[in-house]
Amino acid sequence: MKNQRENKKVQQIDDHVIDNNGRLLTTNDGVPIEDNNNMLKAGERGPALIEDFIYQDKMAHFDRERIPERVVHARGSGAHGIFEATADISKYTKASFLKKGTVTPLFVRFSTVAGFKGSTDLARDVRGFSVKFYTEDGNYDLVGNNIPVFFIQDAMNFPDLVHAVKPEPNNEMPQAASAHDTFWDFISLMPEAAHMVMWTMSDRAIPRSFRMMEGFGVHTFKFVNAEGKGTFVKFHWKPKLGVHSVAWNEAQKISGFDADFHRRDLWENIEKGNFPQWDLGVQLVPEEDEHKFSFDLLDATKIVPEELVPVEIIGTMTLNRNPENFFAETEQIAFDPGRIVPGIDLTNDPLLQGRVFSYADTQNYRLGGPNFHEIPINRSVNGKFNNQKDGFGRQDILKGNVSYFPNSLGGGCPYHAMLKGEDGFKSHEEKVDGKKVRRRSTSFADHFTQARLFFNSQSKPEQEHMINAYSFELSKVNSVDVRKRELAILNQIDKELAARVGANLGIEPASELDELTLQFARQNHPEYPIKTPKPEVEKSAALSMKTKPGEGTIETRKVAFLIADGVSKKSIDKMKTALEEEGAEAVLISTNVGKVKFKEGGTADIEFSYLTEASVCYDAFYTPEGDSVSVLQDEPDYLHFINEGFRHCKAIAFATGAEKLIDGTYLSKNKDSGVIFESDGNLIEDFIKTMKGHRVWERENTRKVPS
Ligand code: HDE
């Protein structure tokens, strides 16, 4: 019973899975094809004949194989899974899939925002975190991001934001990057973006893995209970593996070595049975408390600090199945924040209101018409019963002569829920009374308080990374005026941040906002800058990645064992066993693929070599003992692995006899933190402990190592 819906969804997909195995090649009409190599010609060396329907069938389909890519979030990776509700929250919502114990099938799509479909996974960018729940009351889409706020407050500015961040229109450069003039020009004129930009300049924008990032609904939504009472709700996804990032220098290199790094990581881990999990948490605010805070709940550039409203866990999501086909599922899935189910409702957040139009509209265009709900990945497990008909790509065959409402000839069907006293979706009854205006509420006019809160809540290394990220991005901006304008914004957030970035740009930050920035801000708030309300908290531990749960596990982390012929099997095995007990994976990398010879005799199969692998794709490094050490001494790629691993603050361990290899690297004998020598004692414990800390970020400033 529990898994009935999941089985139904699997069945829906399976019904459409085609297996060519053992089949005769046919045309799209099922006609067997005798020769798939040659067009029909008038003679062996003659012209092609127009009657060749077999060639036309093949080529006409090929010519139409591409559909428009998503205008944003084009690059994405998806997986199937389930959600299990674990808490009784019926007091707040009647949503059937949130009833304790209910298991609901779902599909998730993670994405970057700015890059094209074929762009790198490791761009500095926001990540999309979209979940389609196939509930018993129809599909519910929670279309969020890995950052809890957004750049803008009103949907009207969205096309401009996207035009500014996408490659510049004259030369279509740069790909998947915000480090260019038009983005910072726009951002420096929009002080409301200050908070979100702090997040995108933080390590949140370069995750180690999709499996290690948080997700947020961003907007405030509403829960509605069986009595029709509403409660404001913010959604949070908390990954069981913790929240982790890579270093920026590392991200740039991963983009070259493996542009599919995140996609591959998700796919491979699901294939291996390492099913990623997230807890779903909610922050609940009673309707009566709507105006209780120093910020507006309807403003998507604001968070609700967890110190004010704690996050309560209400369920767990597990991703347990890779798609059968990327295009049919990950590409064709159609998300829409306007797809809600009874028990959940929208609020008047002007960004959310605007999104509700845009998504359905975009799907109609991207998927070629109004029948995209019939694509297997988009189908509700309830089926759909209404009087809509025809249109491009219609697949359902509606019986009978009735396709209108009301009708008597069809027995009045499909019938209204209310006619039979059943429950249908009912919008939460909210009094709305206002003049028709194009204006923004003054309660949306404080742009810097939460940007400051975010910066103050970061650990020292996280702050350093942000200073470096702003410096990198603004150095890539050619316009000095734009650099100055942004520095003036940073100066409103934090003086040291502005001064440090300014020093890297050779500019003294201005103490006041630029006149142009003020002009634009005053278009929305004529009285700008307003007197800012006193914030409830100055720091929030939950905003630092350092404090996230999951810290302390090395599950699924990849450890490179750097070996060559003559390596000691014993030295490999003892470390491998210890790591595997902790759920980590040992990957043998040698001078060539094929076989490696052990010191003790015998061989092991090798899939990865220094030629194909790069240190940036691994979490930690171990050099076992053996005669391999003298081979590695002269292996430049080995030495590079170690230097780069050091630069990127990863754990590095050397077995007895291997420590002398550091002579060829930038590492020092004076015990750099996170570099472990077996000769010092606790090789395995110290290595695992260092890995559990994810990275030794402090190392960045203590020793400078080129890579
Ligand atoms: Fe989107 N967004 N968005 N967005 N968005 C799209 O829909 C849009 C916003 C988000 O994996 C598009 O199917 C507007 C916020 C994700 O398929 C489009 C506004 C948040 C995805 C669109 C926003 C998001 C999209 C492009 C401002 C976080 C990928 C293709 C009002 C809460 C979904 C498509 C997937 C995709 C419009 C702002 C998240 C054009 C108008 C805020 C995760 O419809």
Side-chain angles (χ1 to χ4, degrees):
M1 175 65 196
K2 209 164 144 191
N3 286 326
Q4 232 174 35
R5 273 182 306 278
E6 193 189 358
N7 292 340
K8 201 159 172 192
K9 193 66 213 170
V10 173
Q11 194 56 50
Q12 261 182 14
I13 306 269
D14 281 357
D15 283 349
H16 292 83
V17 173
I18 293 167
D19 189 352
N20 277 338
N21 205 8
R23 299 290 184 169
L24 180 68
L25 184 71
T26 72
T27 65
N28 283 313
D29 293 301
V31 178
I33 296 175
E34 167 100 358
D35 178 341
N36 192 33
N37 291 322
N38 297 292
M39 289 192 302
L40 189 66
K41 298 179 209 98
E44 277 164 18
R45 302 179 62 253
L49 297 179
I50 201 164
E51 69 168 74
D52 187 354
F53 70 93
I54 294 181
Y55 165 76
Q56 284 170 21
D57 174 81
K58 182 175 179 179
M59 197 53 80
H61 194 281
F62 171 76
D63 291 344
R64 290 162 180 77
E65 274 176 11
R66 291 290 166 270
I67 61 171
E69 67 172 35
R70 289 164 172 82
V71 60
V72 279
H73 297 264
R75 168 88 188 164
S77 306
H80 292 272
I82 52 161
F83 175 77
E84 178 158 15
T86 52
D88 179 7
I89 51 165
S90 52
K91 213 160 63 171
Y92 304 107
T93 177
K94 61 178 176 185
S96 60
F97 77 105
L98 293 176
K99 199 163 152 236
K100 190 172 171 182
T102 308
V103 174
T104 304
L106 53 81
F107 191 88
V108 171
R109 186 173 179 273
F110 301 114
S111 48
T112 54
V113 178
F116 295 169
K117 194 167 171 282
S119 58
T120 172
D121 280 345
L122 262 289
R124 174 176 292 286
D125 201 352
V126 189
R127 299 297 183 286
F129 194 125
S130 315
V131 185
K132 189 182 281 294
F133 298 87
Y134 303 100
T135 89
E136 68 182 23
D137 285 329
N139 292 346
Y140 168 55
D141 291 355
L142 183 52
V143 195
N145 280 340
N146 75 328
I147 289 179
V149 287
F150 203 63
F151 293 105
I152 51 170
Q153 297 173 322
D154 191 293
M156 197 69 150
N157 291 123
F158 189 69
D160 301 292
L161 164 72
V162 175
H163 291 173
V165 71
K166 283 269 183 184
E168 299 190 7
N170 51 346
N171 55 21
E172 200 156 277
M173 291 192 282
Q175 180 56 241
S178 55
H180 60 112
D181 281 56
T182 55
F183 177 70
W184 289 97
D185 184 29
F186 178 81
I187 288 303
S188 65
L189 293 170
M190 297 283 280
E192 70 198 60
H195 185 194
M196 169 81 160
V197 176
M198 294 292 275
W199 285 79
T200 59
M201 292 302 115
S202 80
D203 293 344
R204 300 278 185 151
I206 38 173
R208 159 65 181 83
S209 160
F210 291 137
R211 302 175 296 123
M212 298 170 200
M213 53 183 211
E214 287 181 296
F216 303 92
V218 177
H219 313 278
T220 301
F221 291 89
K222 239 180 223 174
F223 271 161
V224 184
N225 71 10
E227 287 75 50
K229 183 171 166 38
T231 305
F232 291 108
V233 57
K234 288 256 181 201
F235 291 106
H236 296 244
W237 290 109
K238 305 245 180 204
K240 298 260 200 206
L241 292 174
V243 184
H244 299 291
S245 68
V246 298
W248 176 232
N249 177 276
E250 192 184 357
Q252 290 172 288
K253 289 174 175 161
I254 295 175
S255 293
F257 281 109
D258 186 3
D260 305 308
F261 187 71
H262 285 155
R263 178 176 289 181
R264 191 182 313 285
D265 167 274
L266 181 67
W267 177 275
E268 287 185 353
N269 277 288
I270 292 176
E271 287 298 295
K272 286 177 196 158
N274 299 331
F275 299 147
Q277 288 192 309
W278 287 257
D279 284 331
L280 178 63
V282 288
Q283 287 178 295
L284 299 169
V285 177
E287 275 189 305
E288 311 78 84
D289 290 349
E290 179 174 2
H291 303 293
K292 185 176 132 183
F293 304 106
S294 64
F295 49 87
D296 195 324
L297 281 180
L298 300 186
D299 173 359
T301 66
K302 304 296 185 298
I303 57 158
V304 178
E306 292 189 27
E307 287 73 14
L308 295 187
V309 183
V311 174
E312 298 170 42
I313 301 303
I314 62 167
T316 304
M317 167 168 80
T318 307
L319 300 184
N320 55 16
R321 197 159 54 90
N322 277 318
E324 289 292 342
N325 183 279
F326 184 92
F327 181 84
E329 298 170 78
T330 310
E331 189 63 16
Q332 292 203 114
I333 192 158
F335 288 100
D336 178 354
R339 304 291 173 219
I340 48 179
V341 288
I344 296 186
D345 212 338
L346 308 171
T347 59
N348 297 332
D349 171 345
L351 201 65
L352 179 58
Q353 295 277 316
R355 289 179 77 198
V356 171
F357 162 74
S358 175
Y359 287 68
D361 186 45
T362 215
Q363 309 308 353
N364 269 314
Y365 164 65
R366 193 172 71 81
L367 298 169
N371 288 315
F372 60 86
H373 313 91
E374 297 188 357
I375 297 171
I377 194 68
N378 293 325
R379 275 184 184 266
S380 140
V381 290
N382 276 357
K384 62 173 169 66
F385 304 96
N386 56 42
N387 298 307
Q388 294 169 18
K389 61 182 202 125
D390 305 351
F392 281 112
R394 180 72 177 191
Q395 292 170 49
D396 285 353
I397 299 169
L398 184 62
K399 270 166 70 155
N401 61 345
V402 169
S403 56
Y404 51 89
F405 175 91
N407 69 69
S408 69
L409 298 181
C413 290
Y415 63 88
H416 254 172
M418 63 196 280
L419 278 183
K420 300 234 174 168
E422 291 175 30
D423 244 3
F425 181 87
K426 225 191 284 171
S427 288
H428 179 234
E429 286 188 16
E430 182 186 345
K431 188 166 186 298
V432 179
D433 185 10
K435 288 189 183 150
K436 245 190 240 175
V437 290
R438 283 188 197 277
R439 242 183 267 149
R440 209 153 303 174
S441 167
T442 313
S443 56
F444 280 38
D446 170 21
H447 302 318
F448 304 130
T449 306
Q450 287 208 351
R452 194 172 306 120
L453 169 69
F454 182 71
F455 192 65
N456 289 343
S457 306
Q458 303 302 301
S459 65
K460 232 356 300 96
E462 285 172 310
Q463 288 187 337
E464 288 297 315
H465 296 170
M466 292 174 71
I467 291 165
N468 291 339
Y470 273 106
S471 304
F472 175 94
E473 298 257 325
L474 289 171
S475 301
K476 294 254 181 180
V477 168
N478 295 319
S479 162
V480 176
D481 286 345
V482 170
R483 290 180 183 169
K484 285 186 181 160
R485 259 203 325 261
E486 183 58 25
L487 274 180
I489 288 185
L490 293 187
N491 218 6
Q492 300 293 316
I493 299 170
D494 186 274
K495 298 269 174 278
E496 195 200 329
L497 168 67
R500 295 273 310 279
V501 177
N504 287 334
L505 299 171
I507 299 172
E508 176 97 16
S511 55
E512 299 298 325
L513 284 180
D514 185 88
E515 208 31 58
L516 268 185
T517 311
L518 281 170
Q519 257 180 41
F520 278 93
R522 285 183 186 136
Q523 288 183 4
N524 291 326
H525 306 288
E527 69 285 26
Y528 194 83
I530 57 148
K531 187 171 170 316
T532 50
K534 191 173 156 27
E536 294 84 350
V537 289
E538 306 277 346
K539 266 189 181 189
S540 172
L543 301 180
S544 165
M545 291 169 59
K546 260 203 116 151
T547 61
K548 293 291 165 188
E551 195 71 46
T553 172
I554 61 167
E555 270 175 51
T556 75
R557 293 310 186 102
K558 283 172 93 168
V559 184
F561 280 42
L562 304 170
I563 62 172
D565 277 341
V567 67
S568 156
K569 180 171 186 310
K570 211 168 116 216
S571 180
I572 292 181
D573 285 349
K574 69 177 180 198
M575 180 62 92
K576 189 164 179 279
T577 310
L579 289 173
E580 284 174 356
E581 270 168 21
E582 296 276 341
E585 184 188 351
V587 182
L588 302 184
I589 301 174
S590 189
T591 45
N592 53 271
V593 296
K595 299 262 182 224
V596 70
K597 291 191 198 110
F598 289 129
K599 182 174 150 198
E600 297 90 341
T603 59
D605 290 335
I606 297 292
E607 277 181 67
F608 306 100
S609 80
Y610 298 109
L611 189 65
T612 60
E613 298 309 289
S615 98
V616 288
C617 298
Y618 292 87
D619 292 295
F621 309 94
Y622 172 55
T623 311
E625 64 175 284
D627 303 334
S628 46
V629 169
S630 51
V631 181
L632 294 178
Q633 214 162 332
D634 300 321
E635 173 56 73
D637 289 334
Y638 165 80
L639 300 171
H640 192 58
F641 252 84
I642 298 294
N643 281 332
E644 219 165 34
F646 186 88
R647 164 83 184 257
H648 300 142
C649 305
K650 298 171 182 176
I652 304 175
F654 296 90
T656 309
E659 64 269 15
K660 68 171 185 229
L661 284 167
I662 70 166
D663 292 345
T665 71
Y666 283 89
L667 273 59
S668 104
K669 283 263 192 242
N670 322 330
K671 311 281 160 51
D672 288 305
S673 49
V675 182
I676 297 124
F677 299 101
E678 186 168 21
S679 44
D680 288 343
N682 301 325
L683 171 77
I684 292 177
E685 294 94 289
D686 287 355
F687 189 46
I688 290 176
K689 193 165 151 231
T690 308
M691 280 182 69
K692 283 187 174 170
H694 177 59
R695 298 293 173 88
V696 192
W697 291 124
E698 293 73 16
R699 204 199 264 160
E700 281 177 316
N701 293 325
T702 51
R703 305 217 34 243
K704 304 282 180 209
V705 171
S707 72

